[in-house]
Amino acid sequence: MSLNVESTPLTAVLAPPPLRLIDDTGQAVAENESGGFTLPAVDTLLGLYRQMVIARRFDVQVTALTRQGRLATYPSALGQEACEIAAVAALAPQDWLFPTYRDSIALLTRGVEPKDILASFRGDWHSGYDYHQHRIAPQATPLATQALHAVGLATAAKLKRDNTVALTLLGDGATSEGDAHEAFNFAAVWQAPVVFLVQNNQFAISVPLDKQMACRTIADKAIGYGMPGYYVDGNDVAAMYAVVSAAMDRARRGDGPTLIEGLTYRIEAHTNSDDPTRYRKAADVDLWRSRDPIERLEKYLVAQGALTEGVRASILAAAEELAATTRDCMTEQAVVDPLELFEHVYSTPRTALAEQRAFLAAELAGDALASAVATEKSTR
Amino acid sequence: MSPQQALDTGTAVRAPEDLTMAAALNAAIRDAMVDDPTVVLFGEDVGPLGGVFRVTDGLYAEFGETRVSDSPLAEAGIVGTAIGMAMYGLRPVVEMQFDAFSYPAFQQIVSHVAKMRNRTRGKIPLPIVIRIPYAGDIGGVEHHSDSSEAYWTATPGLTVVSPSNPADAYSMLREAIASDDPVIFMEPKSRYWSKASLSLPVQTEKLNRAVVLRAGTDVTLIAYGPTVKTALATADQAEAEGLSIEVIDLRSLSPFDDETVGVSVRKTGRAAIVHEAAQFGGYGAEVATRLTERNFFYLAAPILRITGFDIPYPSPKLEEYFLPTPDRILAALSTWEWS
Ligand SMILES: Cc1ncc(C[n+]2csc(CCOP(=O)(O)OP(=O)(O)O)c2C)c(N)n1
Ligand SMILES: [Mg+2]
């Protein structure tokens, strides 16, 4: 129940238009409306387009695999490609990314193999990629907790005088969590080289943003912490890239954190087990489908003469190839050794775990007697 | 006392001095910071003030703002940022001001500190020490006397320890800081002012071991942290009455030292555990169960728990009725049939 049943949500009434560099129709906005940001070069935009198309193909493929029951779950980022890809494109190699469950396409774009991304969703292990190679933290499930990790890592980098910046992705709902507030505040007080990118996809599972907060925008909150905030059209990859890059530069210069809100929309269900017809209208989804971030950029690039049929065909081919790789990695049998369950809990072996491991090993060997002896030994 | 020897750090052994537990903890952090430049310290009031119990006294002046800092007042923030720092190669030592004020950090501790190594198949270890002043007997108002150990010992991935004397305080904290695993370091507040003459650096028993503090033949009395003193007093009193009590200081709650405790229990055939925390679902329940499962045929009587009552920790004027005392322990032991 909303405790404020009478009034119209402030978020809807008062929010200013978000910052954009390319509008809905694929036209560059006038320079005096671009908030001081410069439209990225056409080559840069073409690169972002390519990554968005490939990311979407991956996302659609994985959603299909989930519907076939071959993955335990998959939170789709369909429609959020501009935010996800801009975030990764703005990172330098030494930077760290702190993603959530929603941000698998960000991992893909930073170079994580499909099979390593899917390790967690198909249930092999809780997480399955090389964090240090990619400089990506494990995808966080407890909401907003990873924002504090990003602030801590960024602060450590600052103490070591490295020029590493941490970027963390958050959902709109997650900004209600205490950890988000604490992260914003710690970052500002410590002047941590960190960028908070909130993907406002307008829902936290079923709950719309006006039930999360009573202020106009999430970006407005930045002023309360003493850092700059930007309210950006999250379906305009040009604007997202320009703003995130500027925030990364600012952090790298030692000028502290930035809070960026990308206004976008979650086209798919929250996860495969969600039923969005219970809480939103098909017409709303259709409206946001018509604001597709990839189509918008496509119009611009075609008008610029940068996206020829040949280029488009090669991008689509690369996307299909990735989809095939993604399907293929599902046919490989992942070897998960039950005895590994005991391996990584502590740095040094514990007697109690060794006993339990011996029990499971005997049980697996089908050796009821040995398993009973292991139990008996451990109970002696 | 636990066996003492010089800690092998290359640091010169200093002349013996009378140190409180708080001062020993302070020296441990200081020496660790001197030896290892990746050790950083932060929390609420740990800077110029030196912490509300003065455990971090002088460290801000010695190491400066980059290594010792007052953080904003938010426990999830303290532990959450410590995680990020540990991911980047630092060894954070953080302070929760009081036991009950660690609860805002519960999610960060239970969902990340404890699980990160396992989640990442060992690729992201978290060498973090979370210091928690705990337990009562200091006349504290509400929220200042909780014994929260069972929340942490119930969580796989955490190492939970509690020293009972200044020598162990120094040695165990040094080892906790050097550990690649996260350690919940529970400091019994009522023992902060207890004194011992120590030549630092000192190394006592290994972090994961229990010690027999006083040998005995009739009963194994198991204690940790604040109740070790109570257990020793009980043994003194019992001796006068002709009962020989062996006192074990667990030191490490997780892992539990089955071996040391088991040897004692198989010798005496009787065991009791003392803690301040409430009884139901408390740490003593695990100790009693494990010991029974493993030593049933050596036991002459059921294992007893002498603990706080199953109520919220009382106000200062009433805490004396709550805390286990030697009399209460001896009364409990007298309920056994002695043949
Ligand atoms: C601390 C916590 N509470 C609840 C959940 C369950 N949960 C998972 S996703 C979600 C909605 C999050 O919404 P938002 O932050 O907007 O991110 P989105 O899923 O839209 O990307 C909830 C409530 C959780 N993961 N963590
Ligand atoms: Mg959302």
Side-chain angles (χ1 to χ4, degrees):
Chain A
M1 184 184 81
S2 170
L3 297 177
N4 188 355
V5 281
E6 298 303 326
S7 63
T8 316
L10 288 170
T11 41
V13 178
L14 295 174
L19 189 145
R20 54 172 59 148
L21 298 179
I22 296 176
D23 70 17
D24 274 340
T25 64
Q27 306 277 328
V29 304
E31 211 166 299
N32 62 355
E33 286 172 31
S34 60
F37 290 95
T38 319
L39 186 65
V42 170
D43 275 359
T44 307
L45 292 174
L46 188 60
L48 293 170
Y49 174 81
R50 179 189 163 86
Q51 289 178 314
M52 286 164 73
V53 170
I54 291 174
R56 175 165 297 180
R57 185 66 190 89
F58 173 79
D59 194 277
V60 167
Q61 178 62 69
V62 179
T63 297
L65 289 167
T66 311
R67 291 212 176 103
Q68 293 160 20
R70 299 171 71 192
L71 293 167
T73 188
Y74 177 70
S76 160
L78 192 79
Q80 300 179 210
E81 294 86 354
C83 293
E84 302 271 358
I85 276 51
V88 173
L91 299 177
Q94 74 274 20
D95 295 337
W96 271 80
L97 177 68
F98 286 78
T100 75
Y101 52 86
R102 175 83 52 217
D103 309 312
S104 300
I105 60 172
L107 274 61
L108 179 81
T109 307
R110 198 157 163 82
V112 183
E113 298 276 328
K115 71 171 173 28
D116 294 341
I117 298 172
L118 296 186
S120 64
F121 298 116
R122 67 181 188 184
D124 300 351
W125 199 263
H126 294 312
S127 174
Y129 44 95
D130 189 326
Y131 315 97
H132 293 97
Q133 180 199 336
H134 300 290
R135 299 207 153 207
I136 306 177
Q139 288 179 277
T141 303
L143 299 171
T145 54
Q146 80 284 1
L148 281 163
H149 308 166
V151 175
L153 183 136
T155 302
K158 182 178 162 174
L159 293 177
K160 291 186 170 185
R161 300 181 189 285
D162 290 349
N163 68 345
T164 300
V165 176
L167 183 146
T168 182
L169 296 165
L170 291 158
D172 49 309
T175 63
S176 296
E177 292 281 1
D179 283 24
H181 159 72
E182 294 184 24
F184 298 157
N185 187 51
F186 272 64
V189 172
W190 286 351
Q191 288 292 285
V194 65
V195 175
F196 302 103
L197 173 46
V198 178
Q199 297 184 75
N200 174 3
N201 65 8
Q202 308 192 39
F203 289 95
I205 307 185
S206 66
V207 181
L209 186 56
D210 60 69
K211 288 191 179 169
Q212 299 288 351
M213 64 175 204
C215 55
R216 299 183 318 168
T217 67
I218 294 165
D220 274 359
K221 299 184 185 196
I223 194 169
Y225 297 100
M227 66 176 151
Y230 293 95
Y231 181 53
V232 186
D233 184 333
N235 283 9
D236 175 10
V237 75
M240 287 304 302
Y241 178 73
V243 175
V244 177
S245 300
M248 296 295 289
D249 289 347
R250 178 188 151 83
R252 215 178 300 285
R253 280 197 308 271
D255 292 340
T258 303
L259 173 61
I260 301 166
E261 172 182 1
L263 177 66
T264 180
Y265 197 82
R266 196 195 73 215
I267 298 289
E268 278 285 355
H270 171 68
T271 63
N272 46 308
S273 50
D274 177 33
D275 175 10
T277 63
R278 285 171 167 258
Y279 57 82
R280 66 183 189 185
K281 297 192 195 78
D284 289 347
V285 184
D286 290 343
L287 176 66
W288 280 92
R289 274 191 193 279
S290 75
R291 295 173 177 167
D292 188 83
I294 297 182
E295 283 171 23
R296 186 193 305 197
L297 182 59
E298 198 169 293
K299 282 181 202 150
Y300 176 79
L301 290 172
V302 169
Q304 297 295 309
L307 187 61
T308 60
E309 274 313 313
V311 173
R312 191 205 303 264
S314 82
I315 293 174
L316 290 178
E320 283 313 317
E321 198 179 316
L322 180 84
T325 309
T326 306
R327 287 191 301 272
D328 288 350
C329 79
M330 291 304 297
T331 57
E332 288 164 26
Q333 276 300 327
V335 187
V336 275
D337 176 6
L339 294 180
E340 196 187 340
L341 286 171
F342 303 93
E343 292 291 292
H344 312 293
V345 187
Y346 303 100
S347 63
T348 44
R350 281 196 177 185
T351 321
L353 267 69
E355 289 169 0
Q356 290 166 13
R357 186 183 189 280
F359 167 82
L360 182 59
E363 197 178 78
L364 289 171
D367 192 341
L369 184 64
S371 136
V373 169
T375 314
E376 207 265 332
K377 251 193 201 140
S378 74
T379 56
R380 228 182 321 130
Chain B
M1 296 303 300
S2 353
Q4 293 179 14
Q5 61 191 81
L7 189 68
D8 184 22
T9 59
T11 323
V13 178
R14 287 162 248 167
E17 46 182 335
D18 273 350
L19 291 174
T20 61
M21 179 186 280
L25 292 165
N26 177 280
I29 301 172
R30 183 192 167 272
D31 290 354
M33 292 186 76
V34 169
D35 283 0
D36 181 351
T38 66
V39 177
V40 293
L41 173 76
F42 63 102
E44 295 158 13
D45 303 292
V46 300
L49 178 68
V52 293
F53 293 104
R54 306 293 182 267
V55 168
T56 59
D57 192 29
L59 301 176
Y60 177 79
E62 182 169 353
F63 296 100
E65 181 79 40
T66 53
R67 295 190 62 197
V68 179
S69 63
D70 284 330
S71 69
L73 211 171
E75 292 75 12
I78 291 167
V79 174
T81 53
I83 291 170
M85 291 183 191
M87 289 176 72
Y88 205 76
L90 298 183
R91 284 182 181 269
V93 177
V94 297
E95 175 172 309
M96 302 282 101
Q97 199 158 68
F98 284 86
D99 33 59
F101 307 134
S102 63
Y103 304 149
F106 195 80
Q107 173 174 237
Q108 288 288 350
I109 296 175
V110 168
S111 294
H112 292 303
V113 171
K115 293 178 179 165
M116 188 70 85
R117 170 184 282 276
N118 183 65
R119 176 184 303 144
T120 62
R121 288 177 143 147
K123 293 195 192 85
I124 303 185
L126 292 180
I128 299 172
V129 175
I130 302 174
R131 295 183 34 245
I132 308 182
Y134 83 114
D137 205 10
I138 57 156
V141 293
E142 197 184 7
H143 313 296
H144 292 74
S145 296
D146 280 17
S147 286
S148 45
E149 63 271 26
Y151 301 136
W152 315 125
T153 56
T155 304
L158 298 177
T159 295
V160 186
V161 303
S162 181
S164 68
N165 60 70
D168 272 348
Y170 180 90
S171 178
M172 289 168 70
L173 187 51
R174 289 299 306 267
E175 224 184 305
I177 296 172
S179 169
D180 283 338
D181 289 328
V183 178
I184 306 291
F185 198 89
M186 313 271 316
E187 300 170 4
K189 289 190 283 278
S190 61
R191 308 303 299 147
Y192 270 144
W193 302 277
S194 64
K195 277 198 178 144
S197 173
L198 298 178
S199 305
L200 295 181
V202 66
Q203 184 170 350
T204 61
E205 195 59 59
K206 295 304 280 176
L207 189 62
N208 58 359
R209 298 309 298 253
V211 295
V212 176
L213 280 190
R214 176 187 171 122
T217 52
D218 301 334
V219 178
T220 300
L221 188 57
I222 302 159
Y224 54 89
T227 54
V228 170
K229 180 178 172 247
T230 320
L232 289 170
T234 307
D236 281 344
Q237 217 168 301
E239 192 174 29
E241 297 169 20
L243 182 68
S244 170
I245 294 185
E246 178 147 303
V247 176
I248 292 190
D249 179 355
L250 285 182
R251 302 168 79 255
S252 173
L253 308 192
S254 175
F256 177 79
D257 185 351
D258 285 297
E259 192 188 333
T260 303
V261 184
V263 165
S264 173
V265 169
R266 288 194 289 276
K267 179 179 76 177
T268 62
R270 294 172 192 266
I273 168 132
V274 197
H275 60 59
E276 283 191 20
Q279 186 162 94
F280 189 87
Y283 184 71
E286 175 63 25
V287 173
T289 310
R290 292 181 87 74
L291 291 176
T292 306
E293 281 176 347
R294 288 161 192 247
N295 306 288
F296 183 75
F297 297 107
Y298 295 86
L299 291 174
I303 294 173
L304 296 176
R305 292 172 288 164
I306 301 96
T307 67
F309 299 123
D310 291 337
I311 58 172
Y313 196 88
S315 52
K317 280 189 183 158
L318 296 169
E319 72 178 338
E320 64 173 299
Y321 303 103
F322 177 88
L323 293 167
T325 58
D327 284 346
R328 214 176 257 177
I329 295 168
L330 289 174
L333 303 190
S334 72
T335 64
W336 278 328
E337 253 181 55
W338 293 87
S339 48

